[in-house]
Amino acid sequence: MSAHTPPSPPPDSRRDKSRIDDANASTAFEEDVRPGLWSWTKLDDTTAVGPRIGPALQSVTVASDDSDDSTVTPERQHVLEKGNAIQYRTCSWQKTAALLFSEYICLAIMSFPWSYSVLGLVPGLILTVVVCLVVLYTSLVLWEFCLRHPEVRDVCDIGQMLFWNKNWAWWATAIMFLLNNTFIQGLHVVVGAEYLNTMTGTDPGVACRTVSFGITVALVCWLCSLPRTFSTLSKLGLFSAFFTFISVLLAAAFSGAQKQPAGYDPRPSFTSDSGVASVGGSPIVTAFPVKSASYIACFNAFLNISYTFIGQITLPSFIAEMREPKDFPKALWACAIAEVILFSVVGAVIYVYTGNQYMTAPAFGSLQETYKKVAFSFMIPTIIFLGVLYASVSARFVFFRIFKNSKHRTEHTITGWSTWAAILLATWIAAFVIAEVIPFFSSLLSLMSSLFDSFFGFIFWGVAYFRMRKADSRAGIARKRGIGTILLGVTNVIIILVGLLFLTFGSYASVLGILEAYDTGSVRSVFSCASNGL
């Protein structure tokens, strides 16, 4: 605890200065600056910034000799970083958009056809649009919070502020934050091993195939994680997003071009080589869930869709490195529009040509051998980069706290770089272990979504909305009453309840799905040498 809790500040006016004085607030905010129902679409730089919900965290302030304001505003950080060898607040909104594209335009897109096969095409498409809109809205709530509190560096700072600056809130958020990111790294170790197994087939020259490939992927990702700033990573991110876009478009095109999906059997029903009764024939496409679909399967499919959209956990870190944080909605809207179009079109096209009975997750496994290898190969950059992105966010979180106000943070030193590399290596070792313990794609997505997205995708931002509204009221800001205000309040209550549903029933459904997969023998055992190729 002492590593995080700094010494008490001297008895001066800093703490009082960080609070919004009611009299001053009434003068500064003569009219309602709180975003209304439709003002979230604003993309210019005239957005008014409301009052803080509380004092700045002492752990994110810096010492100053020339000012009594220790809060790290964007302008102040520009001054503090001037002349440093490593500068952090350097991202334009275009570079931030590249980071968002690389985070969201990812391999998880290929879980959408499987989700549609479980949910049915109509509910699947509706949920895709609804989840996108909810994530867009909550991301803008997060952005508003960051504008009011420009010193926050990551979601852990926000977690502590939301729950009344309690140390337990910081630690709880930090644990979930690091676990979430490490699980995502683990997912990419799983998929990297799947790719290498798919490409090499049954080559007997590889010893203990899947474990060996997992180690190889983890090491490559560790090396690619070494750049220290998001500005540098954004260039790799744009490259990654472009190749992912090509990969999923090829997969959709190949699913229509091939005569039959992989695993096709002309018999309407048959018994597989493993003795399982199976359905064959032409691909079966349903508009709504089939009667045999269980609630657990449907909820896991919903969790898969939600996971692909929910990425708010990294957004405070991105905003903290933007030159102009007010430009963030430009990047967010560009990404959201591209997401909903790409996810819906790719998911629907592949599902329609593949059908329920031949669907796999990821959907590359439903393509014939040559098509599968070509489309899957274009996914290599994102298999590596997205895990790298989350590793960098985790390492930055730890590194900044080890070297707060230190030259090792802003200069090229042996101590700084060796510590950075060691932190990254630790995260990739943990990711490899997770990948070997939960070695299958859709169940790992569902478990991550239920455990972590419940807080970082829903609960936090519903709470943030109400905390900011209370701060507005305390500061004497006039509030416009109307249907929009009521709808926003109800929407945020629903967002919190959905988060609780994810955490409870979602976790239950995910764990049951994992246990069923092991019981039926449909997945390999932990640390197995057997191939997990598609």
Side-chain angles (χ1 to χ4, degrees), residues 127-145:
L127 283 174
T128 299
V129 175
V130 169
V131 172
C132 181
L133 290 174
V134 170
V135 171
L136 175 63
Y137 169 73
T138 54
S139 298
L140 288 165
V141 171
L142 181 160
W143 166 69
E144 183 193 356
F145 190 95

Side-chain angles (χ1 to χ4, degrees), residues 186-412:
L187 175 67
H188 285 261
V189 173
V190 169
V191 178
E194 283 184 350
Y195 171 76
L196 292 175
N197 272 312
T198 300
M199 292 296 110
T200 57
T202 57
D203 183 358
V206 182
C208 200
R209 305 177 58 83
T210 301
V211 173
S212 299
F213 287 149
I215 293 173
T216 301
V217 172
L219 286 174
V220 170
C221 289
W222 172 65
L223 291 173
C224 294
S225 304
L226 292 175
R228 292 256 292 268
T229 65
F230 285 136
S231 181
T232 302
L233 287 178
S234 68
K235 300 171 185 176
L236 298 175
L238 191 60
F239 176 79
S240 167
F242 173 75
F243 275 85
T244 302
F245 180 73
I246 297 298
S247 175
V248 297
L249 287 186
L250 284 176
F254 290 159
S255 66
Q258 62 186 5
K259 293 182 179 180
Q260 304 293 349
Y264 173 78
D265 192 297
R267 295 170 292 178
S269 60
F270 63 96
T271 301
S272 66
D273 295 339
S274 58
V276 178
S278 304
V279 177
S282 299
I284 298 172
V285 179
T286 55
F288 297 94
V290 296
K291 292 182 178 179
S292 59
S294 66
Y295 287 109
I296 291 176
C298 290
F299 203 85
N300 277 333
F302 171 53
L303 289 173
N304 272 218
I305 291 175
S306 300
Y307 164 79
T308 311
F309 280 105
I310 294 172
Q312 296 96 314
I313 190 171
T314 63
L315 301 191
S317 302
F318 294 166
I319 294 171
E321 294 200 14
M322 289 188 70
R323 282 200 301 263
E324 295 294 341
K326 284 189 176 183
D327 288 339
F328 178 71
K330 298 176 184 178
L332 188 65
W333 275 96
C335 187
I337 293 170
E339 279 181 301
V340 75
I341 294 173
L342 184 63
F343 295 0
S344 300
V345 171
V346 170
V349 169
I350 293 178
Y351 171 52
V352 166
Y353 283 106
T354 303
N356 295 337
Q357 65 271 54
Y358 307 114
M359 186 57 64
T360 63
F364 292 118
S366 303
L367 298 174
Q368 296 289 347
E369 194 69 16
T370 301
Y371 290 147
K372 173 174 61 181
K373 290 184 176 181
V374 171
F376 205 178
S377 292
F378 277 91
M379 195 64 73
I380 293 175
T382 199
I383 290 174
I384 296 172
F385 178 78
L386 191 54
V388 164
L389 182 63
Y390 278 89
S392 182
V393 170
S394 294
R396 181 174 275 95
F397 167 75
V398 177
F399 185 81
F400 282 5
R401 282 159 177 80
I402 294 175
F403 294 119
K404 179 186 177 184
N405 300 330
S406 167
K407 69 175 183 178
H408 301 302
R409 175 176 169 176
T410 57
E411 302 294 334
H412 296 292

Side-chain angles (χ1 to χ4, degrees), residues 441-456:
F441 183 77
S442 60
S443 293
L444 188 51
L445 280 182
S446 298
L447 184 62
M448 287 189 300
S449 187
S450 58
L451 287 177
F452 307 120
D453 290 348
S454 55
F455 291 99
F456 299 130

